[in-house]
Amino acid sequence: CVMAQQESLSIKMDALFKEKDHTKHPGFSLSIITNGNVSFRNSYGMANLENGTPFRESTVSDLGSVAKHITNYAILQLIKEKKLSFSDKLSTFFPTLINKSSGDITMLQLMQHTSGLREIYSKLALQGGRMGHPIFQEDALHLVEMSEEQNFRAGSAFSYCNTGYMLLAEIIQKASNLSYEAYLNEKIFQPLGMSHSFVMDIQGEIFPDMANSYSPSNNQWTAVYDNSTAFGQGGIYMSLDDIEKWFIHLTKAGKQEEPP
């Protein structure tokens, strides 16, 4: 009965993504996890249009903002180890903010997007930046240092903010004495057997089995390059194999109500 259900699901999913499963369409991998078990997985389209490389479950691709909850998980681990607390202030880690209102922003406010900090991608747009222009990790602190005030008083409102998560990644490095990538490797990726998970902290870094990114333009696909070094808010590249391991772990950790 279970096999019949899985076969039926496979037929439905393959039919749903049939139009994208060919050599001229950027691809992706898809997995459905039910009660901690993988009930469906498949890949469609191409990882690389130029070379005709199909997308596979082992293909490494950009997680985008999904990286934020991994940053949060690392913070929770450090809080459990008493190396951080939710009430720690930005000025504790960044002394240049001691005399600024932003220095009183807490870890919890950064995590919950209630810090009131200026959005780094909006700053780029206001400066005339366009999609594809790089943002560097140090730009987050520089933006906060140069801002005389916040968008609102910390804790009084919600506003999605990538700047705060870049700062959280910096705090992880300061609290652990490890680079962000080294911390994730040592404390998360390696213990879970996630061997195809990486952080792009070097401009233009290339990873094994890495998919290219594309954008539609004038009825054709054009390449999009990640030439930033920003991480914490993003910057994590992972294969479907590793994503499955991660979310199955989260399911188990959620039942335990605490990180390992």
Side-chain angles (χ1 to χ4, degrees):
C1 181
V2 174
M3 291 185 62
Q5 290 177 341
Q6 290 179 337
E7 184 177 351
S8 175
L9 177 60
S10 179
I11 292 172
K12 290 178 181 178
M13 298 302 288
D14 289 349
L16 181 63
F17 297 113
K18 182 179 179 180
E19 293 182 358
K20 296 178 174 60
D21 190 23
H22 54 77
T23 59
K24 295 183 179 180
H25 199 288
F28 59 95
S29 289
L30 174 66
S31 179
I32 298 176
I33 300 173
T34 307
N35 297 323
N37 296 302
V38 176
S39 56
F40 173 82
R41 68 195 317 251
N42 203 356
S43 299
Y44 305 91
M46 310 304 290
N48 184 297
L49 293 176
E50 298 92 318
N51 299 327
T53 306
F55 219 101
R56 301 298 186 204
E57 287 84 335
S58 59
T59 300
V60 172
S61 58
D62 186 359
L63 294 189
S65 286
V66 174
K68 289 183 175 66
H69 83 280
I70 299 176
T71 298
N72 268 348
Y73 191 90
I75 292 289
L76 291 174
Q77 285 183 318
L78 290 166
I79 288 175
K80 186 181 179 183
E81 295 172 2
K82 308 298 182 183
K83 293 181 180 179
L84 294 173
S85 73
F86 287 122
S87 59
D88 284 343
K89 297 181 178 180
L90 270 182
S91 58
T92 303
F93 308 99
F94 308 106
T96 55
L97 303 179
I98 287 177
N99 296 320
K100 288 181 172 288
S101 60
S102 56
D104 292 328
I105 294 170
T106 67
M107 296 273 296
L108 185 60
Q109 289 165 343
L110 290 174
M111 296 169 75
Q112 294 181 333
H113 297 284
T114 59
S115 67
L117 291 176
R118 301 288 167 81
E119 170 55 52
I120 196 162
Y121 290 99
S122 297
K123 170 183 174 287
L124 178 67
L126 289 171
Q127 291 178 330
R130 298 182 179 182
M131 181 178 293
H133 285 192
I135 291 179
F136 299 100
Q137 185 67 7
E138 59 268 23
D139 291 342
L141 180 58
H142 182 68
L143 170 61
V144 179
E145 288 175 333
M146 297 302 293
S147 298
E148 293 300 322
E149 57 186 28
Q150 293 132 238
N151 288 332
F152 51 81
R153 179 175 54 83
S156 65
F158 172 91
S159 182
Y160 190 89
C161 183
N162 287 284
T163 313
Y165 271 79
M166 292 170 68
L167 294 179
L168 284 171
E170 293 296 312
I171 291 170
I172 289 169
Q173 296 185 136
K174 290 175 180 289
S176 68
N177 291 317
L178 295 169
S179 71
Y180 178 75
E181 183 171 34
Y183 181 89
L184 296 188
N185 279 332
E186 182 176 322
K187 302 295 185 178
I188 298 177
F189 297 158
Q190 290 177 6
L192 295 176
M194 298 166 60
S195 59
H196 288 79
S197 299
F198 309 93
V199 176
M200 185 173 283
D201 54 357
I202 299 173
Q203 190 175 19
E205 194 170 0
I206 298 174
F207 309 119
D209 301 319
M210 182 177 174
N212 286 357
S213 297
Y214 302 91
S215 176
S217 177
N218 297 322
N219 296 318
Q220 64 179 354
W221 295 105
T222 56
V224 176
Y225 301 101
D226 186 354
N227 57 356
S228 297
T229 65
F231 51 85
Q233 92 302 351
I236 294 179
Y237 287 68
M238 196 178 289
S239 69
L240 182 72
D241 292 328
D242 281 9
I243 291 172
E244 289 174 344
K245 293 174 183 176
W246 171 241
F247 278 101
I248 288 172
H249 167 72
L250 280 186
T251 300
K252 295 177 180 178
K255 291 179 180 179
Q256 297 170 356
E257 297 185 352
E258 62 179 9

